[in-house]
Amino acid sequence: MNMKLKELFADVPGNIADVEFPSHLATDSRDVIQGGAFVALEGERTDGHNYIPQAVANGAGLLIVRKGKKPEGVTVPVVELDDPERDLAETASKKLKAHNLRDIIGITGSVGKTTTRAALQKVLSPRFKVHAPERSFNTLIGCTSTIMAMPLETEILILEFGANKPGEIKELTRYFPPSIAILTAVAPVHLEGFGTVEGVLKEKMEITNSANLRKIIFNNDNEYLCEAFRYYVRSMGVGENKDSDFVISHDTSEYALPAMSFILACRLTQEVARFTVNIWGRHNAVPLSLASATAHELDISLQECADALSDFQALTGRGRVMILDGGKKFLVDDAYNANPASMSASLETFAKVKCSGKVAVLGEMRELGENSVKYHSELSPLLEGIDTVILVGKIWPEALKGDYIFVDDWKSALDALRKIDDWQGLLIKGSNSIGLANIVKEFER
């Protein structure tokens, strides 16, 4: 059961219906499910209030709108707020305070948030009643949506904290202060908003100002985080770095599809466990280990974590390996997003795979600011050894010269790919807005 509207919106004037808040909340009318809530937000390009009829037609059981924009003639309950996004966040914050959770775990970082979240949910669920976002809901309204849909019996809440510009992590931390903070990495991402990597670091570190914080778990292989937490007493480092509290070691130099194997050791307890997981690339050992170190903090053994993750499946677009043609070919679906760190890691893994024909379809990396061309050109050495490279976007021709196939969009990339028959391994990676996920869908048909 969820809290009732009268409890959640006790300070809101007007006739509030005496019904439970729905277990699903959407800000896009297309995502509304039967009985769910629809929040009408006003953006730069569109106004969600214009889509209320579609939301109702899709089965919305509650509408949350800006005061004065209540639609006429609707039969479902309506809550009017001065600022739907922030007023709802305030309501979600109050719900957290009343809920008395064991822990709120906040995950932030330039890469790996969603994989860390999914792995953490997997290792905690056998022991605790866990609630987490169903997708990458890492904005203010996304975290709010997750909390408003949280069942009353929840013991541990997992949230992702994302940011495109300064101040967003600070705001999320103020509304939803975590007791455990996980920092996955700091890398040149969203530089149009932050300017420099140091600006990214400053933003991510805002999570450590949580009023409820008792533990920080971070990627000790990341140079920025390693230095930032060098003297933090409440922090635990995870990584291949031998002075980490949880040390990752890889026992093979080659990648054996479709599983990745590594060993994780806790220096304090001397526990050691081997992890074998169906996910792409040794770089994903870090998010899986961050999740396991967090679970260990909650008295779950490393071996229990390894067992729980043995059937873990990579999420769509995040290192998912698809076996095709009866095992003769494989496709790596890494198409959800791309930045210099994740692109380098995926290409380094691809280089270690032994197969007779390698093809990479790479979309440009966006939101990198004035050094965008530089970051693209630095990938050149990692493209050596790939038989065919299809580069999608307008930045690549300026950044790279060579025997590559340059195209403007995913459709042209698919046309070029269809002319290649003798490949065994295919890597697809790029910023989500490039649309390379559409190529992946062609192979799922």
Side-chain angles (χ1 to χ4, degrees):
M1 294 178 60
N2 290 333
M3 295 179 71
K4 291 195 173 184
L5 296 185
K6 282 184 175 293
E7 297 176 82
L8 290 168
F9 301 105
D11 299 331
V12 177
N15 185 22
I16 305 295
D18 189 24
V19 297
E20 289 180 19
F21 193 92
S23 59
H24 186 273
L25 185 151
T27 58
D28 188 320
S29 62
R30 294 168 295 185
D31 295 333
V32 171
I33 67 171
Q34 188 67 39
F38 174 67
V39 184
L41 298 181
E42 296 164 309
E44 295 179 1
R45 299 180 180 178
T46 187
D47 184 348
H49 296 85
N50 297 332
Y51 297 91
I52 288 176
Q54 291 92 322
V56 173
N58 287 339
L62 172 68
L63 301 175
I64 299 175
V65 304
R66 183 177 290 278
K67 188 175 291 184
K69 287 197 169 186
K70 180 179 178 179
E72 298 292 335
V74 296
T75 57
V76 299
V78 179
V79 175
E80 295 183 84
L81 302 174
D82 291 323
D83 181 342
E85 184 174 19
R86 280 168 178 77
D87 288 352
L88 198 57
E90 191 66 46
T91 301
S93 181
K94 290 177 182 177
K95 179 179 178 179
L96 282 185
K97 291 174 183 176
H99 213 79
N100 195 30
L101 293 165
R102 171 178 174 138
D103 275 297
I104 300 171
I105 302 174
I107 305 171
T108 193
S110 301
V111 295
K113 292 187 294 296
T114 300
T115 298
T116 302
R117 182 262 298 165
L120 183 58
Q121 190 172 5
K122 192 88 163 60
V123 297
L124 293 182
S125 291
R127 189 79 65 87
F128 302 102
K129 293 177 180 176
V130 180
H131 184 67
E134 60 185 41
R135 297 205 300 264
S136 297
F137 291 163
N138 58 27
T139 62
L140 182 62
I141 189 62
C143 289
T144 297
S145 301
T146 299
I147 294 165
M148 296 303 286
M150 182 177 68
L152 290 176
E153 67 270 16
T154 300
E155 296 174 292
I156 294 177
L157 171 68
I158 305 173
L159 297 173
E160 294 182 42
F161 287 3
N164 294 322
K165 60 182 184 296
E168 292 182 325
I169 300 295
K170 182 178 182 178
E171 184 176 47
L172 288 166
T173 301
R174 178 171 62 84
Y175 279 117
F176 319 124
S179 53
I180 299 176
I182 302 175
L183 290 95
T184 62
V186 169
V189 178
H190 301 307
L191 294 186
E192 289 181 353
F194 297 114
T196 64
V197 182
E198 287 74 20
V200 176
L201 173 64
K202 182 180 179 182
E203 179 69 14
K204 301 304 181 185
M205 290 294 288
E206 287 289 351
I207 197 173
T208 66
N209 293 320
S210 167
N212 298 332
L213 193 65
R214 64 178 175 82
K215 185 65 70 174
I216 299 164
I217 300 170
F218 70 97
N219 177 359
N220 198 38
D221 291 339
N222 184 264
E223 59 177 317
Y224 297 98
L225 295 178
C226 181
E227 182 61 30
F229 292 115
R230 187 177 297 276
Y231 303 111
Y232 265 62
V233 175
R234 292 180 295 171
S235 66
M236 294 193 306
V238 176
E240 294 182 37
N241 192 325
K242 297 306 178 184
D243 68 356
S244 301
D245 298 284
F246 290 82
V247 180
I248 302 168
S249 57
H250 297 268
D251 54 1
T252 177
S253 60
E254 287 187 14
Y255 186 83
L257 287 171
M260 177 263 293
S261 178
F262 66 94
I263 295 169
L264 184 63
C266 176
R267 289 207 303 163
L268 179 63
T269 64
Q270 301 298 304
E271 287 180 76
V272 178
R274 178 186 294 276
F275 290 70
T276 301
V277 188
N278 295 325
I279 193 170
W280 171 253
R282 59 185 289 161
H283 56 284
N284 273 314
V286 171
L288 300 183
S289 296
L290 288 169
S292 299
T294 306
H296 193 269
E297 174 69 12
L298 298 173
D299 299 322
I300 297 175
S301 72
L302 292 185
Q303 188 57 56
E304 287 179 273
C305 294
D307 292 342
L309 292 173
S310 62
D311 61 350
F312 180 78
Q313 298 293 321
L315 301 174
T316 299
R318 293 179 170 88
R320 180 176 56 135
V321 179
M322 298 167 55
I323 305 302
L324 308 173
D325 290 356
K328 296 177 182 178
K329 296 182 177 182
F330 70 90
L331 182 156
V332 179
D333 171 19
D334 212 5
Y336 181 78
N337 218 335
N339 55 63
S342 66
M343 184 72 85
S344 296
S346 201
L347 287 170
E348 286 169 0
T349 297
F350 200 38
K352 291 182 173 68
V353 178
K354 288 193 173 182
C355 61
S356 59
K358 295 182 184 178
V359 177
V361 179
L362 307 176
E364 65 185 20
M365 303 175 290
R366 293 183 169 172
E367 298 184 58
L368 293 180
E370 61 184 17
N371 291 317
S372 181
V373 173
K374 170 180 172 288
Y375 286 121
H376 283 77
S377 64
E378 288 175 346
L379 295 172
S380 179
L382 297 176
L383 302 181
E384 296 177 7
I386 301 178
D387 298 289
T388 304
V389 180
I390 302 172
L391 301 172
V392 189
K394 300 184 183 304
I395 297 174
W396 289 115
E398 187 177 352
L400 295 175
K401 307 298 179 186
D403 190 19
Y404 308 120
I405 300 173
F406 296 96
V407 297
D408 290 334
D409 53 47
W410 71 265
K411 292 181 179 179
S412 300
L414 180 59
D415 290 339
L417 185 59
R418 283 172 170 158
K419 297 175 183 177
I420 306 168
D421 295 321
D422 56 346
W423 60 268
Q424 184 179 350
L426 172 61
L427 170 64
I428 299 179
K429 186 168 182 63
S431 287
N432 193 38
S433 57
I434 300 293
L436 299 188
N438 292 297
I439 298 179
V440 177
K441 290 177 182 177
E442 290 295 316
F443 288 91
E444 291 179 313
R445 294 179 186 275

